[in-house]
Amino acid sequence: MGVDTTVTILTPTYNRKELLSKLYESLQLQKDKDFEWLIVDDGSTDGTSEIIDQFISNADFSIRYELKENGGKHTALNYAYQFIKSPLTFIVDSDDKLTDDAVVAIKKVYRKYQDEKDICGFSFLRGKPDGGYLSDSGVPKNGMKESYVECRINRGIGGDMAEVWYTHCLKEYPFPEFKEEKFLGEDVVWIRMAEKYKMRFFNKVIYISDYLDEGLTNNRRKHNIASPQGCVVRAEAFLKSDANLKAKVKAMMQYYIYGRFAGENVKTLWKRSKQKICFGIVILPAHMLYLKWKNNLRE
């Protein structure tokens, strides 16, 4: 098992020792055990390695554990790619779990569509622990083939999905890293991929999420302000994409606000911007919002 499998389940983790068991148990229940679970520990200090040792001793599937210096989830993902040999990579957070047929479902669509060279992966749905969808159920029952931008932004199908990526595409589009910044919206890469690749979307839940109060999702603005350079790059990716006007106006607002938090002055941001008209339209409300958020940090 391991390097010759079809899919690697990749889990970046940081101080989630008490939560990893839920994901481990869901992997033990998989109907197809021919996969590798790659855990990248982003510098945990809670004894995560000890529970991983227990998993490795008891599991009937392949587990690989790698430890790195703390740098944020996106750096853990970049670090992981060097160890992945399987054609598919499924990023699964440490506090979530999979349905028991997740690996079966992934392999089924891979066998059917693996000859399509213009796709970067397959996207399934996430569900809530008590039932229902975490992501909007706007994907047709028979699925569809579109770019990430076309489906998730322009169609307005919001919420998180369960994306299974072609490993070579992840290696082609690594996450940008900035010194001292530990947070980056992952969709900066998915947006960039959409310039070249489409995806296959399926109306099937294979991933169950239960967000934590201290998790990244519920503290996004705080993390964004602490990592402004990455947010500027993310905004630029949206502005360069085929996203609709509403998304681009929002991105330009973020470009200005996080650019200011990154220490850039208005003149520099203006010169750097490729969409001068849009920049001019949003500058006043964006500046007011920047001042409000900046003031809130002092309180």
Side-chain angles (χ1 to χ4, degrees):
M1 292 189 295
V3 296
D4 294 326
T5 62
T6 300
V7 59
T8 295
I9 296 172
L10 169 57
T11 300
T13 188
Y14 176 68
N15 287 344
R16 290 288 186 266
K17 176 182 177 181
E18 302 303 324
L19 298 169
L20 280 164
S21 293
K22 181 172 65 173
L23 175 53
Y24 168 72
E25 290 166 4
S26 77
L27 297 181
Q28 282 282 55
L29 294 174
Q30 289 301 303
K31 296 176 181 178
D32 186 336
K33 299 291 184 64
D34 186 23
F35 61 89
E36 181 170 58
W37 187 23
L38 171 58
I39 305 152
V40 176
D41 187 341
D42 191 38
S44 294
T45 58
D46 65 345
T48 290
S49 61
E50 298 169 7
I51 196 167
I52 301 301
D53 287 340
Q54 295 177 29
F55 294 161
I56 292 173
S57 297
N58 298 317
D60 58 354
F61 56 88
S62 177
I63 301 177
R64 178 166 184 158
Y65 173 75
E66 297 291 341
L67 176 65
K68 66 177 284 294
E69 182 179 352
N70 180 252
K73 179 182 178 181
H74 63 295
T75 68
L77 294 174
N78 281 345
Y79 182 80
Y81 301 155
Q82 64 186 303
F83 305 109
I84 301 175
K85 307 301 180 184
S86 60
L88 299 177
T89 298
F90 188 13
I91 301 170
V92 181
D93 291 340
S94 55
D95 51 339
D96 295 330
K97 63 181 181 179
L98 301 181
T99 61
D100 60 9
D101 65 342
V103 174
V104 171
I106 291 166
K107 289 188 175 182
K108 181 179 179 180
V109 300
Y110 175 66
R111 286 193 297 269
K112 183 173 182 179
Y113 297 109
Q114 62 182 312
D115 292 332
E116 293 187 342
K117 304 304 181 183
D118 62 338
I119 61 175
C120 57
F122 310 104
S123 185
F124 298 86
L125 299 181
R126 292 197 196 193
K128 300 177 183 178
D130 56 353
Y133 296 110
L134 187 72
S135 44
D136 298 339
S137 56
V139 178
K141 289 296 182 182
N142 59 346
M144 61 183 178
K145 179 180 180 180
E146 289 186 339
S147 75
Y148 183 93
V149 170
E150 291 169 333
C151 177
R152 302 303 308 282
I153 299 173
N154 294 344
R155 283 185 182 271
I157 300 180
D160 286 339
M161 289 189 178
E163 294 97 354
V164 182
W165 304 99
Y166 274 103
T167 304
H168 73 86
C169 292
L170 291 174
K171 294 179 178 180
E172 182 181 353
Y173 292 89
F175 291 95
E177 297 184 21
F178 299 93
K179 189 176 182 181
E180 307 301 329
E181 293 197 0
K182 295 185 178 182
F183 178 75
L184 180 70
E186 292 172 47
D187 56 358
V188 61
V189 166
W190 318 150
I191 294 295
R192 287 175 170 179
M193 280 189 193
E195 296 178 21
K196 182 177 179 181
Y197 298 105
K198 294 183 181 295
M199 298 187 73
R200 284 280 179 182
F201 293 85
F202 302 94
N203 192 302
K204 176 177 175 56
V205 173
I206 65 169
Y207 188 125
I208 308 298
S209 291
D210 188 11
Y211 289 132
L212 303 174
D213 287 340
E214 71 272 21
L216 292 178
T217 301
N218 286 346
N219 293 282
R220 184 170 296 274
R221 183 178 298 170
K222 180 179 69 175
H223 290 296
N224 283 345
I225 292 173
S227 302
Q229 294 179 87
C231 292
V232 170
V233 169
R234 177 179 177 271
E236 289 176 326
F238 270 84
L239 290 166
K240 185 181 177 182
S241 74
D242 293 327
N244 59 38
L245 180 60
K246 180 180 177 180
K248 289 194 174 186
V249 169
K250 181 179 179 180
M252 185 59 80
M253 294 274 290
Q254 294 172 335
Y255 168 80
Y256 179 91
I257 292 168
Y258 293 119
R260 295 304 307 275
F261 276 116
E264 300 286 358
N265 59 42
V266 177
K267 185 177 180 180
T268 299
L269 291 171
W270 166 264
K271 287 184 176 180
R272 180 174 168 181
S273 174
K274 299 293 194 298
Q275 293 85 14
K276 296 291 194 294
I277 295 176
C278 187
F279 185 98
I281 291 172
V282 308
I283 186 170
L284 181 58
H287 186 68
M288 293 175 65
L289 199 55
Y290 161 68
L291 292 177
K292 179 181 178 180
W293 291 2
K294 187 177 181 180
N295 185 61
N296 289 343
L297 291 177
R298 299 192 184 103
E299 297 178 354

